[in-house]
Amino acid sequence: MADHFTKNMARNIYYGGSFFVFLLLIGLTFDTMLELPKRDHRENITAAVVQGKKHWEDNNCIGCHTLMGEGAYYAPELANVFDRRGLGNEETFKMFLKGWMAAQPLNIPHRRQMPQFNLSEQEVNELADFLIWTSRINDNDWPPNIEG
Amino acid sequence: MKYASQQVAKPYFIFALILFAGQILFGLVMGTQYIIGDFLSGYIPFNVARMVHTNLLIIWLLFGFMGASYYLVPEEAGTELHSPLLARITFWVFAVAAVATILGYLLVPYAKLAEITYNDLLPTMGREFLEQPTITKIGIVIVCLSFVYNIGMTILKGRKTVVNMVLVTGLIGLTVFFLFSFYNPSNLVLDKYFWWWVVHLWVEGVWELILGAILAFVLIKVTGVDREVIEKWLYVIVALALISGLIGMGHHYFWIGPGEYWLWLGSIFSALEPVPFFMMVLFAFKMVKKRRHEHKNEVATLWALGTAVMAFLGAGVWGFLHTLAPVNYYTHGSQLTAAHGHLAFFGAYAMIVMTIISYAMPIMRGRPQGNSSSAQRLERFAFWTMCLSMIGITLALTVAGAAQIAFQRLPESGEALSFMATQEKLIPFYWIRLFMGFVFLAGLLTYFASFFVGKTDKLSHA
């Protein structure tokens, strides 16, 4: 590296530059926090949605599935499963999910197996409410199509 | 070795490598389950295997970073470690907590584990990479605080070299950002937004400082190049890493709720993230070329160069490949993400830990100029086997990802194949990945063997 570029200059870029960019990140985060209520529709987070998220976490669903593209890549995307399997109808989706959860594991030889989580009917409904709320988050139109 | 207390690094390195072996075994289980879906599914469901695989990775890298710090900080500071006893206690606390947590994953269903660890009191579980019970997370914080205290006190009473200062900023950042793992709001968007403050600000932020500092230390040692020169490079590299990486976090905010300006910010800043990695390659090769002595531990130099190159490929090239928003729209959460994850973690972080082990372990075992030439030959073979098989895994997953996108993402709804139907089509690529995984295991076993051969040979420097 050129000699006229001294170690002190490099140090100042490190401390000064990263400090400045970190402040910028904090500022952008504040702005995002102001914008998010319009995009996540938090007014629709009911007690059932809160419980549903808890069932989602307690059973480590993210260990196989993705949710808005994040998680493991072993099983289908679930942020749009309401649209894919419930066709956008809440009753239809809850019926589907109840049947699907009860049928696990499918025990089809060599197929990937989803475990049986022994959720009660109410718990499945809460999980459904969480996934329905999730499907309505404004996520810049991701995924590209219904298959996720 | 200049100070007796540097020796506390040894159990950290040994335990890190044991956990590394566990990580690879569970990787192979998952690699098989990707092809034969019901393989061991009644005993080790995929989600459990994945949790063990990724958590072992994180834990062994932390053990590696800690060992590296306990080794290099006293030498840089020019003084004994503040408290070797505390470092030994911390080791056992962390090791016991890690083993107990992994056994918890394997022995009881996850929901049960949440229940018996009182997750409801402060729910933090069930989020990717942060699956640890809350009590384990508290343990990690205590371990990190004890570690940072010990390292910080050592630096305060000794020389504050650039390597030490960059390292300790990285370690403080690691501890501080981990605190975000305790924030788990019921609003999924907020949860995800701040989840990245742990995950991204670790691996694309403060961990790069740790990586840079360790690499700089090893290069000073094996090349004998003037510290002033190396320190200037280190400053520039870590500065660029943070300047690009902090706002580069925006590339994770494209599709999880935050607003549209992140599409621009995330794309532009993360497109710059490869620059510090490219500079790391220039830096490493330039320093080795300008070396002022021939250190007999040649394989440690190879690891240092290899880390720079593989980190650039994995984090830099494979990261850039899918970081621009219009591309990421199609690649997000596909096998391409997995390809990038594997090469980046191995190239940057697994390899820097093996670099410092390769340099420091022989010294701690009374071989200041490195292992015997037969041991080094075996280690070199292991290096190439692991690097090439990891590139093989990455290429297989890259092709699988491209095919997945073509079948499942690009066509319109109605035309596109479903997720499960697409996975069927990817099986040939998954076979190649699994085969490469076994080659990697062979490389790892060879690496382990290199610690045990050539003891009786004449030391190469003698």
Side-chain angles (χ1 to χ4, degrees):
Chain A
M1 223 173 288
D3 285 337
H4 57 83
F5 181 75
T6 64
K7 195 172 99 180
N8 274 347
M9 293 158 87
R11 186 192 62 204
N12 293 344
I13 295 174
Y14 169 55
Y15 286 113
S18 7
F19 183 69
F20 174 76
V21 176
F22 190 69
L23 287 184
L24 191 59
L25 175 64
I26 303 272
L28 289 164
T29 297
F30 270 106
D31 185 72
T32 301
M33 291 305 119
L34 294 176
E35 192 188 8
L36 277 183
K38 290 189 290 269
R39 300 175 59 92
D40 60 26
H41 305 292
R42 58 189 65 177
E43 67 279 6
N44 297 328
I45 302 180
T46 60
V49 172
V50 173
Q51 280 305 308
K53 180 169 185 276
K54 201 174 142 1
H55 305 321
W56 169 268
E57 289 166 357
D58 282 350
N59 293 288
N60 194 30
C61 306
I62 205 80
C64 292
H65 293 276
T66 49
L67 191 62
M68 296 200 269
E70 295 171 358
Y73 319 114
Y74 190 66
E77 165 64 36
L78 294 185
N80 68 343
V81 68
F82 169 58
D83 304 299
R84 186 165 63 245
R85 298 295 201 150
L87 311 170
N89 180 304
E90 298 195 9
E91 285 315 305
T92 313
F93 179 60
K94 286 181 178 174
M95 290 272 286
F96 161 78
L97 192 62
K98 205 172 93 180
W100 178 260
M101 296 298 285
Q104 306 306 319
L106 294 178
N107 283 324
I108 299 170
H110 296 171
R111 185 190 188 277
R112 298 179 188 180
Q113 302 291 324
M114 177 162 158
Q116 173 55 252
F117 292 107
N118 300 307
L119 298 184
S120 69
E121 185 169 345
Q122 188 192 339
E123 288 169 335
V124 173
N125 278 332
E126 289 166 343
L127 189 57
D129 282 326
F130 169 64
L131 292 173
I132 292 167
W133 172 78
T134 301
S135 75
R136 290 170 179 155
I137 294 167
N138 180 351
D139 59 3
N140 292 330
D141 260 335
W142 195 86
N145 66 37
I146 196 80
E147 301 301 342
Chain B
M1 205 168 54
K2 292 204 170 88
Y3 299 93
S5 54
Q6 289 176 275
Q7 198 77 25
V8 298
K10 205 168 167 182
Y12 283 88
F13 288 150
I14 293 171
F15 196 63
L17 291 178
I18 293 170
L19 297 179
F20 185 21
Q23 186 207 351
I24 301 313
L25 292 180
F26 282 90
L28 291 173
V29 169
M30 284 192 287
T32 310
Q33 288 178 335
Y34 253 95
I35 301 164
I36 305 159
D38 53 1
F39 174 74
L40 292 181
S41 65
Y43 308 95
I44 313 171
F46 181 89
N47 74 86
V48 173
R50 184 179 198 259
M51 189 160 59
V52 174
H53 179 70
T54 57
N55 282 224
L56 280 175
L57 167 68
I58 297 165
I59 301 168
W60 87 257
L61 292 178
L62 290 179
F63 270 102
F65 293 164
M66 289 178 182
S69 308
Y70 286 130
Y71 184 85
L72 75 81
V73 166
E75 187 159 330
E76 282 286 299
T79 167
E80 291 284 355
L81 183 67
H82 175 65
S83 170
L85 177 68
L86 185 62
R88 276 191 289 269
I89 295 171
T90 309
F91 169 80
W92 284 107
V93 172
F94 196 21
V96 169
V99 170
T101 303
I102 299 296
L103 287 178
Y105 292 160
L106 289 168
L107 298 180
V108 289
Y110 192 73
K112 184 87 190 156
L113 183 66
E115 196 187 316
I116 60 182
T117 57
Y118 296 101
N119 186 51
D120 284 0
L121 292 180
L122 177 61
T124 66
M125 292 173 71
R127 294 170 304 150
E128 192 186 9
F129 310 133
L130 303 181
E131 295 93 348
Q132 312 83 32
T134 303
I135 180 89
T136 303
K137 290 196 181 83
I138 295 171
I140 292 174
V141 172
I142 293 170
V143 165
C144 286
L145 286 176
S146 143
F147 162 62
V148 171
Y149 165 78
N150 212 349
I151 292 298
M153 291 304 283
T154 310
I155 293 176
L156 280 180
K157 71 174 176 181
R159 281 197 307 164
K160 288 145 198 74
T161 65
V162 177
V163 168
N164 269 354
M165 293 312 288
V166 170
L167 181 68
V168 82
T169 7
L171 299 176
I172 293 170
L174 181 154
T175 310
V176 169
F177 290 124
F178 184 68
L179 296 177
F180 282 94
S181 71
F182 293 94
Y183 178 63
N184 182 17
S186 50
N187 183 337
L188 180 71
V189 177
L190 292 178
D191 172 4
K192 281 175 174 287
Y193 189 91
F194 289 104
W195 178 86
W196 281 114
W197 284 57
V198 186
V199 177
H200 175 92
L201 293 185
W202 268 20
V203 302
E204 294 173 68
V206 292
W207 283 25
E208 287 183 42
L209 310 188
I210 301 169
L211 160 63
I214 300 174
L215 185 65
F217 174 78
V218 173
L219 286 173
I220 289 173
K221 297 296 164 184
V222 297
T223 65
V225 170
D226 185 9
R227 173 180 286 279
E228 286 294 306
V229 178
I230 287 187
E231 290 175 341
K232 189 159 73 175
W233 276 91
L234 176 60
Y235 267 141
V236 173
I237 288 169
V238 294
L240 289 174
L242 289 184
I243 291 168
S244 62
L246 289 171
I247 308 287
M249 183 152 63
H251 64 185
H252 302 296
Y253 291 160
F254 294 163
W255 326 115
I256 62 169
E260 285 174 24
Y261 61 69
W262 286 109
L263 298 173
W264 289 97
L265 288 172
S267 297
I268 292 166
F269 278 86
S270 69
L272 297 173
E273 283 185 47
V275 175
F277 284 102
F278 184 66
M279 288 194 65
M280 219 180 274
V281 177
L282 293 181
F283 167 52
F285 278 87
K286 224 172 164 148
M287 295 309 112
V288 170
K289 199 173 154 205
K290 283 169 58 170
R291 68 185 175 275
R292 303 223 305 236
H293 62 230
E294 296 289 336
H295 199 289
K296 291 295 189 307
N297 191 346
E298 288 170 16
V299 72
T301 312
L302 177 68
W303 277 108
L305 294 173
T307 300
V309 171
M310 295 288 279
F312 171 65
L313 287 178
V317 176
W318 256 263
F320 180 76
L321 212 60
H322 58 150
T323 203
L324 300 176
V327 176
N328 192 261
Y329 185 63
Y330 294 99
T331 62
H332 179 53
S334 70
Q335 292 301 319
L336 210 63
T337 318
H340 162 58
H342 280 83
L343 196 59
F345 261 99
F346 176 74
Y349 299 121
M351 284 185 70
I352 193 62
V353 172
M354 286 189 275
T355 301
I356 184 74
I357 290 177
S358 184
Y359 171 74
M361 217 35 183
I363 299 175
M364 287 192 284
R365 299 172 81 196
R367 304 163 186 176
Q369 286 292 315
N371 290 323
S372 66
S373 52
S374 59
Q376 288 200 38
R377 209 173 316 123
L378 204 57
E379 189 177 342
R380 178 173 291 119
F381 179 77
F383 167 93
W384 284 108
T385 309
M386 286 194 277
C387 286
L388 292 174
S389 59
M390 188 51 78
I391 289 176
I393 288 174
T394 305
L395 290 174
L397 289 177
T398 303
V399 177
Q404 180 183 18
I405 291 156
F407 289 127
Q408 183 195 326
R409 291 271 172 83
L410 288 175
E412 299 286 319
S413 297
E415 312 267 303
L417 279 189
S418 75
F419 178 90
M420 292 303 279
T422 304
Q423 293 298 311
E424 293 276 320
K425 299 224 180 249
L426 304 182
I427 282 178
F429 310 120
Y430 291 147
W431 275 115
I432 297 172
R433 187 263 296 265
L434 184 59
F435 171 74
M436 289 297 173
F438 277 102
V439 177
F440 188 93
L441 177 67
L444 183 65
L445 293 176
T446 311
Y447 174 63
F448 287 167
S450 76
F451 285 83
F452 300 100
V453 301
K455 254 181 293 197
T456 51
D457 292 16
K458 202 163 64 93
L459 289 180
S460 48
H461 64 98

